[in-house]
Amino acid sequence: LGVTAQVDPVPTAEKLLGYLKDSGNDKLVRAHCPNAIAKLLEKTPPDAAIVKQSLNVFIDLAGSKKTTNEVLQSAVQALGMLGDGDMDLGQKIFATLKNVNEKGKNLQAKNFTAIALAQLGASVDDNHPIRTTTIKYLLEKMRKGKSTYRPWCGLALGAMAFYINGNGGTISSTVEHSLRDAFVDEKNPSRKGGYAIGLGLLKAETAKEDLRASMDTVSDASYRGYAAVALGLIGAREY
């Protein structure tokens, strides 16, 4: 339902929201609802009642200890997909995602908060406080966060730059420098791959040679694949 084009998506979104709110329904089916609702309402004005209602339900689910992991993960994703930092709910969405990352217990939901924060930060103009706040948070966690969350922050910063560039905006050069430093310093192939894709999405010209050289020194096949993809995303045809 989330990928069907509908003249008026509101009735379908309302039905899905009702199914999601009923905790007696199957948890896996419920877990598909937030994502589908966010896709259905993608072009609906942010101040529409159904959008605000949906976001408040996602916020409540993300903040409740009773929410199953599957529904929690989907609610986090949907907050990033549907949330707009310009809304009166913008700060509340940020606070909710931050809380899931710092106090939540499900690792995948915690990791998904990084991407959701990137989407939230990209939803506003270049000088908007939400943009500044999300970039600062992701940069801080990339430097000092838990080892499993750091590469997700690097990936998220690249994704944010990708979204922003697509909207005709720009992102601070500090992001590229910090992401490149994290990439160079990281020794773990799996985590290094996350930074590599982040650099690719950011189209980090300054990191091309570092990425290419890493393919000579890191033997891990999965990492080498990510590095190759990153070079392709940057457009490094010389390699």
Side-chain angles (χ1 to χ4, degrees):
L1 288 170
V3 297
T4 56
Q6 300 183 29
V7 176
D8 181 7
V10 174
T12 304
E14 288 176 338
K15 289 179 181 179
L16 289 173
L17 196 62
Y19 190 95
L20 171 65
K21 290 165 67 177
D22 186 347
S23 60
N25 287 325
D26 183 274
K27 65 180 181 180
L28 293 181
V29 182
R30 290 177 67 220
H32 281 282
C33 291
N35 199 291
I37 292 167
K39 289 177 180 176
L40 281 167
L41 301 178
E42 182 181 14
K43 296 181 180 179
T44 304
D47 59 351
I50 183 63
V51 174
K52 292 184 177 181
Q53 184 183 3
S54 299
L55 285 170
N56 276 310
V57 170
F58 302 157
I59 288 170
D60 289 343
L61 287 169
S64 173
K65 294 181 179 180
K66 296 181 180 179
T67 303
T68 63
N69 289 335
E70 296 85 358
V71 174
L72 171 62
Q73 292 164 13
S74 189
V76 166
Q77 287 181 316
L79 284 172
M81 295 166 64
L82 189 59
D84 188 322
D86 259 337
M87 301 174 65
D88 53 358
L89 287 172
Q91 290 289 350
K92 194 172 182 181
I93 293 171
F94 173 81
T96 299
L97 294 170
K98 179 181 177 182
N99 185 66
V100 171
N101 173 46
E102 297 181 358
K103 298 183 180 180
K105 295 183 179 180
N106 182 258
L107 181 60
Q108 193 62 69
K110 291 160 75 76
N111 291 340
F112 283 161
T113 62
I115 306 300
L117 285 166
Q119 292 173 307
L120 184 67
S123 71
V124 294
D125 294 334
D126 290 351
N127 297 318
H128 195 286
I130 283 285
R131 172 77 62 80
T132 305
T133 301
T134 51
I135 289 178
K136 181 180 179 181
Y137 184 78
L138 290 171
L139 283 173
E140 178 186 353
K141 291 300 178 180
M142 186 173 70
R143 287 192 294 263
K144 300 179 180 179
K146 293 185 177 180
S147 59
T148 53
Y149 192 62
R150 291 177 190 173
W152 279 87
C153 291
L155 180 62
L157 287 165
M160 187 190 292
F162 183 84
Y163 296 134
I164 290 169
N165 291 335
N167 294 330
T170 57
I171 194 168
S172 169
S173 60
T174 301
V175 173
E176 181 172 334
H177 298 319
S178 298
L179 185 50
R180 181 188 173 192
D181 288 344
F183 167 79
V184 171
D185 292 341
E186 182 59 63
K187 305 303 180 186
N188 179 282
S190 178
R191 294 196 286 266
K192 197 176 185 73
Y195 295 129
I197 295 296
L199 288 167
L201 289 169
L202 202 148
K203 295 192 180 298
E205 290 283 333
T206 62
K208 289 193 299 186
E209 177 53 30
D210 289 323
L211 283 162
R212 190 217 59 79
S214 70
M215 297 182 74
D216 291 336
T217 58
V218 181
S219 61
D220 183 83
S222 293
Y223 167 75
R224 290 163 63 84
Y226 289 131
V229 170
L231 287 168
L233 287 167
I234 294 172
R237 299 173 74 97
E238 63 269 35
Y239 299 135

